[in-house]
Amino acid sequence: MKRHRWAGVLLVTAAAWLPSSFAAEDAQGFIRLRPDEIVWQHNDEGPDIAVIAGDPQKEGFYIIRARFAPGVMSRPHYHPHDRHVTVLKGTWYTGTGSKLDRDATVPLPVGGYMMHPAGAVHYDGAKDEEVIVEIKGMGPAPSIPAGR
């Protein structure tokens, strides 16, 4: 029987301790970031996180990336603001509602998109392969466990 790791609720408010992937601006204000320059913060209990732009703890626009190891899935939670998610690598499995059910998830392949409406309970993650998603939204962006 295959074992699965279940991620605790991703608390983006903890992003204050995350190193930033910000690259230096050029003279015209452009910023370029190569994949090898992305700074990932390892998380034993959930997806690794990289802050790409902004600060999800503060008011304003942010971009983060979440990297789910095979078998890692978040528990049901919600956010106070809409979040826009694009799949960059792997097949991302998405579920809605307060009951975590891996078998009821909807797979989204690379290039897939999902909008998490403010206050809507959901869960998501990886099954058999690494998954990377890019999340865009307005902060502050805490993840609030379902049932609270």
Side-chain angles (χ1 to χ4, degrees), residues 106-128:
V106 175
L108 288 176
V110 170
Y113 164 83
M114 182 173 189
M115 194 274 283
H116 293 154
V121 177
H122 61 279
Y123 52 92
D124 43 56
K127 286 191 178 180
D128 299 320

mmCIF file with all atom_site columns, all heavy atoms in Angstrom, residues 106-128:
data_model
loop_
_atom_site.group_PDB
_atom_site.id
_atom_site.type_symbol
_atom_site.label_atom_id
_atom_site.label_alt_id
_atom_site.label_comp_id
_atom_site.label_asym_id
_atom_site.label_entity_id
_atom_site.label_seq_id
_atom_site.pdbx_PDB_ins_code
_atom_site.Cartn_x
_atom_site.Cartn_y
_atom_site.Cartn_z
_atom_site.occupancy
_atom_site.B_iso_or_equiv
_atom_site.pdbx_formal_charge
_atom_site.auth_seq_id
_atom_site.auth_comp_id
_atom_site.auth_asym_id
_atom_site.auth_atom_id
_atom_site.pdbx_PDB_model_num
ATOM 1   N N   . VAL A 1 106 ? -10.082 16.889 -8.963  1.00 0.00 ? 106 VAL A N   1
ATOM 2   C CA  . VAL A 1 106 ? -10.098 17.108 -10.403 1.00 0.00 ? 106 VAL A CA  1
ATOM 3   C C   . VAL A 1 106 ? -8.655  17.402 -10.836 1.00 0.00 ? 106 VAL A C   1
ATOM 4   O O   . VAL A 1 106 ? -8.031  18.323 -10.321 1.00 0.00 ? 106 VAL A O   1
ATOM 5   C CB  . VAL A 1 106 ? -11.008 18.301 -10.769 1.00 0.00 ? 106 VAL A CB  1
ATOM 6   C CG1 . VAL A 1 106 ? -10.939 18.607 -12.250 1.00 0.00 ? 106 VAL A CG1 1
ATOM 7   C CG2 . VAL A 1 106 ? -12.439 18.027 -10.324 1.00 0.00 ? 106 VAL A CG2 1
ATOM 8   N N   . PRO A 1 107 ? -8.111  16.622 -11.772 1.00 0.00 ? 107 PRO A N   1
ATOM 9   C CA  . PRO A 1 107 ? -6.741  16.865 -12.221 1.00 0.00 ? 107 PRO A CA  1
ATOM 10  C C   . PRO A 1 107 ? -6.650  18.043 -13.191 1.00 0.00 ? 107 PRO A C   1
ATOM 11  O O   . PRO A 1 107 ? -7.492  18.195 -14.073 1.00 0.00 ? 107 PRO A O   1
ATOM 12  C CB  . PRO A 1 107 ? -6.355  15.560 -12.918 1.00 0.00 ? 107 PRO A CB  1
ATOM 13  C CG  . PRO A 1 107 ? -7.656  14.976 -13.384 1.00 0.00 ? 107 PRO A CG  1
ATOM 14  C CD  . PRO A 1 107 ? -8.694  15.427 -12.385 1.00 0.00 ? 107 PRO A CD  1
ATOM 15  N N   . LEU A 1 108 ? -5.629  18.866 -12.981 1.00 0.00 ? 108 LEU A N   1
ATOM 16  C CA  . LEU A 1 108 ? -5.331  19.963 -13.905 1.00 0.00 ? 108 LEU A CA  1
ATOM 17  C C   . LEU A 1 108 ? -3.895  19.784 -14.386 1.00 0.00 ? 108 LEU A C   1
ATOM 18  O O   . LEU A 1 108 ? -2.968  19.772 -13.585 1.00 0.00 ? 108 LEU A O   1
ATOM 19  C CB  . LEU A 1 108 ? -5.474  21.320 -13.208 1.00 0.00 ? 108 LEU A CB  1
ATOM 20  C CG  . LEU A 1 108 ? -6.889  21.776 -12.886 1.00 0.00 ? 108 LEU A CG  1
ATOM 21  C CD1 . LEU A 1 108 ? -6.856  23.086 -12.106 1.00 0.00 ? 108 LEU A CD1 1
ATOM 22  C CD2 . LEU A 1 108 ? -7.690  21.951 -14.170 1.00 0.00 ? 108 LEU A CD2 1
ATOM 23  N N   . PRO A 1 109 ? -3.685  19.662 -15.701 1.00 0.00 ? 109 PRO A N   1
ATOM 24  C CA  . PRO A 1 109 ? -2.340  19.474 -16.241 1.00 0.00 ? 109 PRO A CA  1
ATOM 25  C C   . PRO A 1 109 ? -1.592  20.806 -16.370 1.00 0.00 ? 109 PRO A C   1
ATOM 26  O O   . PRO A 1 109 ? -2.144  21.874 -16.096 1.00 0.00 ? 109 PRO A O   1
ATOM 27  C CB  . PRO A 1 109 ? -2.609  18.873 -17.620 1.00 0.00 ? 109 PRO A CB  1
ATOM 28  C CG  . PRO A 1 109 ? -3.905  19.497 -18.022 1.00 0.00 ? 109 PRO A CG  1
ATOM 29  C CD  . PRO A 1 109 ? -4.706  19.626 -16.754 1.00 0.00 ? 109 PRO A CD  1
ATOM 30  N N   . VAL A 1 110 ? -0.355  20.718 -16.813 1.00 0.00 ? 110 VAL A N   1
ATOM 31  C CA  . VAL A 1 110 ? 0.460   21.912 -17.058 1.00 0.00 ? 110 VAL A CA  1
ATOM 32  C C   . VAL A 1 110 ? -0.322  22.879 -17.942 1.00 0.00 ? 110 VAL A C   1
ATOM 33  O O   . VAL A 1 110 ? -0.930  22.485 -18.934 1.00 0.00 ? 110 VAL A O   1
ATOM 34  C CB  . VAL A 1 110 ? 1.791   21.534 -17.734 1.00 0.00 ? 110 VAL A CB  1
ATOM 35  C CG1 . VAL A 1 110 ? 2.539   22.770 -18.210 1.00 0.00 ? 110 VAL A CG1 1
ATOM 36  C CG2 . VAL A 1 110 ? 2.658   20.736 -16.779 1.00 0.00 ? 110 VAL A CG2 1
ATOM 37  N N   . GLY A 1 111 ? -0.328  24.140 -17.531 1.00 0.00 ? 111 GLY A N   1
ATOM 38  C CA  . GLY A 1 111 ? -1.076  25.162 -18.244 1.00 0.00 ? 111 GLY A CA  1
ATOM 39  C C   . GLY A 1 111 ? -2.479  25.344 -17.703 1.00 0.00 ? 111 GLY A C   1
ATOM 40  O O   . GLY A 1 111 ? -3.145  26.322 -18.024 1.00 0.00 ? 111 GLY A O   1
ATOM 41  N N   . GLY A 1 112 ? -2.946  24.413 -16.860 1.00 0.00 ? 112 GLY A N   1
ATOM 42  C CA  . GLY A 1 112 ? -4.272  24.518 -16.267 1.00 0.00 ? 112 GLY A CA  1
ATOM 43  C C   . GLY A 1 112 ? -4.343  25.689 -15.287 1.00 0.00 ? 112 GLY A C   1
ATOM 44  O O   . GLY A 1 112 ? -3.326  26.148 -14.760 1.00 0.00 ? 112 GLY A O   1
ATOM 45  N N   . TYR A 1 113 ? -5.558  26.155 -15.055 1.00 0.00 ? 113 TYR A N   1
ATOM 46  C CA  . TYR A 1 113 ? -5.789  27.330 -14.213 1.00 0.00 ? 113 TYR A CA  1
ATOM 47  C C   . TYR A 1 113 ? -6.978  27.064 -13.304 1.00 0.00 ? 113 TYR A C   1
ATOM 48  O O   . TYR A 1 113 ? -7.941  26.401 -13.686 1.00 0.00 ? 113 TYR A O   1
ATOM 49  C CB  . TYR A 1 113 ? -6.088  28.544 -15.099 1.00 0.00 ? 113 TYR A CB  1
ATOM 50  C CG  . TYR A 1 113 ? -6.720  29.708 -14.372 1.00 0.00 ? 113 TYR A CG  1
ATOM 51  C CD1 . TYR A 1 113 ? -5.928  30.622 -13.675 1.00 0.00 ? 113 TYR A CD1 1
ATOM 52  C CD2 . TYR A 1 113 ? -8.093  29.889 -14.377 1.00 0.00 ? 113 TYR A CD2 1
ATOM 53  C CE1 . TYR A 1 113 ? -6.506  31.696 -13.004 1.00 0.00 ? 113 TYR A CE1 1
ATOM 54  C CE2 . TYR A 1 113 ? -8.678  30.957 -13.715 1.00 0.00 ? 113 TYR A CE2 1
ATOM 55  C CZ  . TYR A 1 113 ? -7.887  31.854 -13.026 1.00 0.00 ? 113 TYR A CZ  1
ATOM 56  O OH  . TYR A 1 113 ? -8.459  32.903 -12.354 1.00 0.00 ? 113 TYR A OH  1
ATOM 57  N N   . MET A 1 114 ? -6.908  27.584 -12.082 1.00 0.00 ? 114 MET A N   1
ATOM 58  C CA  . MET A 1 114 ? -8.041  27.533 -11.160 1.00 0.00 ? 114 MET A CA  1
ATOM 59  C C   . MET A 1 114 ? -8.076  28.823 -10.364 1.00 0.00 ? 114 MET A C   1
ATOM 60  O O   . MET A 1 114 ? -7.037  29.322 -9.932  1.00 0.00 ? 114 MET A O   1
ATOM 61  C CB  . MET A 1 114 ? -7.918  26.353 -10.204 1.00 0.00 ? 114 MET A CB  1
ATOM 62  C CG  . MET A 1 114 ? -9.091  26.212 -9.244  1.00 0.00 ? 114 MET A CG  1
ATOM 63  S SD  . MET A 1 114 ? -8.968  24.677 -8.304  1.00 0.00 ? 114 MET A SD  1
ATOM 64  C CE  . MET A 1 114 ? -10.551 24.657 -7.500  1.00 0.00 ? 114 MET A CE  1
ATOM 65  N N   . MET A 1 115 ? -9.274  29.353 -10.185 1.00 0.00 ? 115 MET A N   1
ATOM 66  C CA  . MET A 1 115 ? -9.453  30.523 -9.325  1.00 0.00 ? 115 MET A CA  1
ATOM 67  C C   . MET A 1 115 ? -10.080 30.035 -8.031  1.00 0.00 ? 115 MET A C   1
ATOM 68  O O   . MET A 1 115 ? -11.092 29.331 -8.063  1.00 0.00 ? 115 MET A O   1
ATOM 69  C CB  . MET A 1 115 ? -10.349 31.565 -9.998  1.00 0.00 ? 115 MET A CB  1
ATOM 70  C CG  . MET A 1 115 ? -10.306 32.940 -9.328  1.00 0.00 ? 115 MET A CG  1
ATOM 71  S SD  . MET A 1 115 ? -11.422 33.183 -7.958  1.00 0.00 ? 115 MET A SD  1
ATOM 72  C CE  . MET A 1 115 ? -12.954 33.423 -8.832  1.00 0.00 ? 115 MET A CE  1
ATOM 73  N N   . HIS A 1 116 ? -9.447  30.362 -6.916  1.00 0.00 ? 116 HIS A N   1
ATOM 74  C CA  . HIS A 1 116 ? -10.010 30.066 -5.604  1.00 0.00 ? 116 HIS A CA  1
ATOM 75  C C   . HIS A 1 116 ? -10.770 31.304 -5.152  1.00 0.00 ? 116 HIS A C   1
ATOM 76  O O   . HIS A 1 116 ? -10.147 32.311 -4.803  1.00 0.00 ? 116 HIS A O   1
ATOM 77  C CB  . HIS A 1 116 ? -8.909  29.764 -4.583  1.00 0.00 ? 116 HIS A CB  1
ATOM 78  C CG  . HIS A 1 116 ? -8.160  28.516 -4.836  1.00 0.00 ? 116 HIS A CG  1
ATOM 79  N ND1 . HIS A 1 116 ? -6.877  28.331 -4.390  1.00 0.00 ? 116 HIS A ND1 1
ATOM 80  C CD2 . HIS A 1 116 ? -8.500  27.370 -5.468  1.00 0.00 ? 116 HIS A CD2 1
ATOM 81  C CE1 . HIS A 1 116 ? -6.457  27.135 -4.724  1.00 0.00 ? 116 HIS A CE1 1
ATOM 82  N NE2 . HIS A 1 116 ? -7.422  26.532 -5.386  1.00 0.00 ? 116 HIS A NE2 1
ATOM 83  N N   . PRO A 1 117 ? -12.096 31.268 -5.137  1.00 0.00 ? 117 PRO A N   1
ATOM 84  C CA  . PRO A 1 117 ? -12.846 32.444 -4.691  1.00 0.00 ? 117 PRO A CA  1
ATOM 85  C C   . PRO A 1 117 ? -12.618 32.698 -3.195  1.00 0.00 ? 117 PRO A C   1
ATOM 86  O O   . PRO A 1 117 ? -12.441 31.756 -2.420  1.00 0.00 ? 117 PRO A O   1
ATOM 87  C CB  . PRO A 1 117 ? -14.307 32.066 -4.938  1.00 0.00 ? 117 PRO A CB  1
ATOM 88  C CG  . PRO A 1 117 ? -14.292 30.838 -5.769  1.00 0.00 ? 117 PRO A CG  1
ATOM 89  C CD  . PRO A 1 117 ? -12.973 30.186 -5.571  1.00 0.00 ? 117 PRO A CD  1
ATOM 90  N N   . ALA A 1 118 ? -12.635 33.940 -2.810  1.00 0.00 ? 118 ALA A N   1
ATOM 91  C CA  . ALA A 1 118 ? -12.480 34.308 -1.401  1.00 0.00 ? 118 ALA A CA  1
ATOM 92  C C   . ALA A 1 118 ? -13.488 33.540 -0.553  1.00 0.00 ? 118 ALA A C   1
ATOM 93  O O   . ALA A 1 118 ? -14.670 33.480 -0.887  1.00 0.00 ? 118 ALA A O   1
ATOM 94  C CB  . ALA A 1 118 ? -12.687 35.810 -1.235  1.00 0.00 ? 118 ALA A CB  1
ATOM 95  N N   . GLY A 1 119 ? -13.010 32.919 0.506   1.00 0.00 ? 119 GLY A N   1
ATOM 96  C CA  . GLY A 1 119 ? -13.879 32.213 1.436   1.00 0.00 ? 119 GLY A CA  1
ATOM 97  C C   . GLY A 1 119 ? -14.312 30.823 1.017   1.00 0.00 ? 119 GLY A C   1
ATOM 98  O O   . GLY A 1 119 ? -14.986 30.137 1.779   1.00 0.00 ? 119 GLY A O   1
ATOM 99  N N   . ALA A 1 120 ? -13.942 30.366 -0.167  1.00 0.00 ? 120 ALA A N   1
ATOM 100 C CA  . ALA A 1 120 ? -14.358 29.043 -0.646  1.00 0.00 ? 120 ALA A CA  1
ATOM 101 C C   . ALA A 1 120 ? -13.371 27.975 -0.179  1.00 0.00 ? 120 ALA A C   1
ATOM 102 O O   . ALA A 1 120 ? -12.172 28.061 -0.423  1.00 0.00 ? 120 ALA A O   1
ATOM 103 C CB  . ALA A 1 120 ? -14.459 29.036 -2.170  1.00 0.00 ? 120 ALA A CB  1
ATOM 104 N N   . VAL A 1 121 ? -13.878 26.956 0.491   1.00 0.00 ? 121 VAL A N   1
ATOM 105 C CA  . VAL A 1 121 ? -13.037 25.896 1.029   1.00 0.00 ? 121 VAL A CA  1
ATOM 106 C C   . VAL A 1 121 ? -12.554 24.983 -0.105  1.00 0.00 ? 121 VAL A C   1
ATOM 107 O O   . VAL A 1 121 ? -13.335 24.575 -0.966  1.00 0.00 ? 121 VAL A O   1
ATOM 108 C CB  . VAL A 1 121 ? -13.798 25.084 2.104   1.00 0.00 ? 121 VAL A CB  1
ATOM 109 C CG1 . VAL A 1 121 ? -12.949 23.923 2.614   1.00 0.00 ? 121 VAL A CG1 1
ATOM 110 C CG2 . VAL A 1 121 ? -14.219 25.995 3.258   1.00 0.00 ? 121 VAL A CG2 1
ATOM 111 N N   . HIS A 1 122 ? -11.269 24.661 -0.057  1.00 0.00 ? 122 HIS A N   1
ATOM 112 C CA  . HIS A 1 122 ? -10.662 23.807 -1.073  1.00 0.00 ? 122 HIS A CA  1
ATOM 113 C C   . HIS A 1 122 ? -9.454  23.076 -0.491  1.00 0.00 ? 122 HIS A C   1
ATOM 114 O O   . HIS A 1 122 ? -8.996  23.388 0.603   1.00 0.00 ? 122 HIS A O   1
ATOM 115 C CB  . HIS A 1 122 ? -10.232 24.638 -2.293  1.00 0.00 ? 122 HIS A CB  1
ATOM 116 C CG  . HIS A 1 122 ? -9.208  25.674 -1.942  1.00 0.00 ? 122 HIS A CG  1
ATOM 117 N ND1 . HIS A 1 122 ? -9.553  26.890 -1.378  1.00 0.00 ? 122 HIS A ND1 1
ATOM 118 C CD2 . HIS A 1 122 ? -7.866  25.673 -2.028  1.00 0.00 ? 122 HIS A CD2 1
ATOM 119 C CE1 . HIS A 1 122 ? -8.454  27.587 -1.150  1.00 0.00 ? 122 HIS A CE1 1
ATOM 120 N NE2 . HIS A 1 122 ? -7.417  26.865 -1.542  1.00 0.00 ? 122 HIS A NE2 1
ATOM 121 N N   . TYR A 1 123 ? -8.937  22.137 -1.247  1.00 0.00 ? 123 TYR A N   1
ATOM 122 C CA  . TYR A 1 123 ? -7.703  21.416 -0.925  1.00 0.00 ? 123 TYR A CA  1
ATOM 123 C C   . TYR A 1 123 ? -7.078  21.026 -2.253  1.00 0.00 ? 123 TYR A C   1
ATOM 124 O O   . TYR A 1 123 ? -7.746  20.990 -3.291  1.00 0.00 ? 123 TYR A O   1
ATOM 125 C CB  . TYR A 1 123 ? -7.962  20.202 -0.027  1.00 0.00 ? 123 TYR A CB  1
ATOM 126 C CG  . TYR A 1 123 ? -9.022  19.267 -0.551  1.00 0.00 ? 123 TYR A CG  1
ATOM 127 C CD1 . TYR A 1 123 ? -8.695  18.175 -1.352  1.00 0.00 ? 123 TYR A CD1 1
ATOM 128 C CD2 . TYR A 1 123 ? -10.367 19.485 -0.265  1.00 0.00 ? 123 TYR A CD2 1
ATOM 129 C CE1 . TYR A 1 123 ? -9.671  17.324 -1.839  1.00 0.00 ? 123 TYR A CE1 1
ATOM 130 C CE2 . TYR A 1 123 ? -11.354 18.636 -0.743  1.00 0.00 ? 123 TYR A CE2 1
ATOM 131 C CZ  . TYR A 1 123 ? -11.001 17.563 -1.526  1.00 0.00 ? 123 TYR A CZ  1
ATOM 132 O OH  . TYR A 1 123 ? -11.964 16.723 -2.015  1.00 0.00 ? 123 TYR A OH  1
ATOM 133 N N   . ASP A 1 124 ? -5.786  20.755 -2.246  1.00 0.00 ? 124 ASP A N   1
ATOM 134 C CA  . ASP A 1 124 ? -5.107  20.477 -3.509  1.00 0.00 ? 124 ASP A CA  1
ATOM 135 C C   . ASP A 1 124 ? -3.742  19.879 -3.248  1.00 0.00 ? 124 ASP A C   1
ATOM 136 O O   . ASP A 1 124 ? -3.248  19.907 -2.136  1.00 0.00 ? 124 ASP A O   1
ATOM 137 C CB  . ASP A 1 124 ? -4.975  21.755 -4.341  1.00 0.00 ? 124 ASP A CB  1
ATOM 138 C CG  . ASP A 1 124 ? -4.562  22.952 -3.508  1.00 0.00 ? 124 ASP A CG  1
ATOM 139 O OD1 . ASP A 1 124 ? -3.522  22.892 -2.842  1.00 0.00 ? 124 ASP A OD1 1
ATOM 140 O OD2 . ASP A 1 124 ? -5.304  23.947 -3.512  1.00 0.00 ? 124 ASP A OD2 1
ATOM 141 N N   . GLY A 1 125 ? -3.132  19.344 -4.306  1.00 0.00 ? 125 GLY A N   1
ATOM 142 C CA  . GLY A 1 125 ? -1.794  18.803 -4.155  1.00 0.00 ? 125 GLY A CA  1
ATOM 143 C C   . GLY A 1 125 ? -1.396  17.874 -5.275  1.00 0.00 ? 125 GLY A C   1
ATOM 144 O O   . GLY A 1 125 ? -1.913  17.946 -6.393  1.00 0.00 ? 125 GLY A O   1
ATOM 145 N N   . ALA A 1 126 ? -0.462  16.988 -4.941  1.00 0.00 ? 126 ALA A N   1
ATOM 146 C CA  . ALA A 1 126 ? 0.138   16.082 -5.914  1.00 0.00 ? 126 ALA A CA  1
ATOM 147 C C   . ALA A 1 126 ? -0.214  14.642 -5.567  1.00 0.00 ? 126 ALA A C   1
ATOM 148 O O   . ALA A 1 126 ? -0.436  14.314 -4.398  1.00 0.00 ? 126 ALA A O   1
ATOM 149 C CB  . ALA A 1 126 ? 1.655   16.253 -5.911  1.00 0.00 ? 126 ALA A CB  1
ATOM 150 N N   . LYS A 1 127 ? -0.235  13.815 -6.569  1.00 0.00 ? 127 LYS A N   1
ATOM 151 C CA  . LYS A 1 127 ? -0.424  12.377 -6.329  1.00 0.00 ? 127 LYS A CA  1
ATOM 152 C C   . LYS A 1 127 ? 0.896   11.651 -6.579  1.00 0.00 ? 127 LYS A C   1
ATOM 153 O O   . LYS A 1 127 ? 1.609   11.349 -5.640  1.00 0.00 ? 127 LYS A O   1
ATOM 154 C CB  . LYS A 1 127 ? -1.559  11.828 -7.181  1.00 0.00 ? 127 LYS A CB  1
ATOM 155 C CG  . LYS A 1 127 ? -2.936  12.263 -6.658  1.00 0.00 ? 127 LYS A CG  1
ATOM 156 C CD  . LYS A 1 127 ? -4.063  11.504 -7.321  1.00 0.00 ? 127 LYS A CD  1
ATOM 157 C CE  . LYS A 1 127 ? -5.397  11.935 -6.721  1.00 0.00 ? 127 LYS A CE  1
ATOM 158 N NZ  . LYS A 1 127 ? -6.520  11.215 -7.339  1.00 0.00 ? 127 LYS A NZ  1
ATOM 159 N N   . ASP A 1 128 ? 1.226   11.376 -7.845  1.00 0.00 ? 128 ASP A N   1
ATOM 160 C CA  . ASP A 1 128 ? 2.369   10.515 -8.142  1.00 0.00 ? 128 ASP A CA  1
ATOM 161 C C   . ASP A 1 128 ? 3.605   11.226 -8.679  1.00 0.00 ? 128 ASP A C   1
ATOM 162 O O   . ASP A 1 128 ? 4.570   10.560 -9.039  1.00 0.00 ? 128 ASP A O   1
ATOM 163 C CB  . ASP A 1 128 ? 1.944   9.446  -9.160  1.00 0.00 ? 128 ASP A CB  1
ATOM 164 C CG  . ASP A 1 128 ? 0.824   8.567  -8.614  1.00 0.00 ? 128 ASP A CG  1
ATOM 165 O OD1 . ASP A 1 128 ? 0.873   8.227  -7.420  1.00 0.00 ? 128 ASP A OD1 1
ATOM 166 O OD2 . ASP A 1 128 ? -0.097  8.237  -9.384  1.00 0.00 ? 128 ASP A OD2 1
#
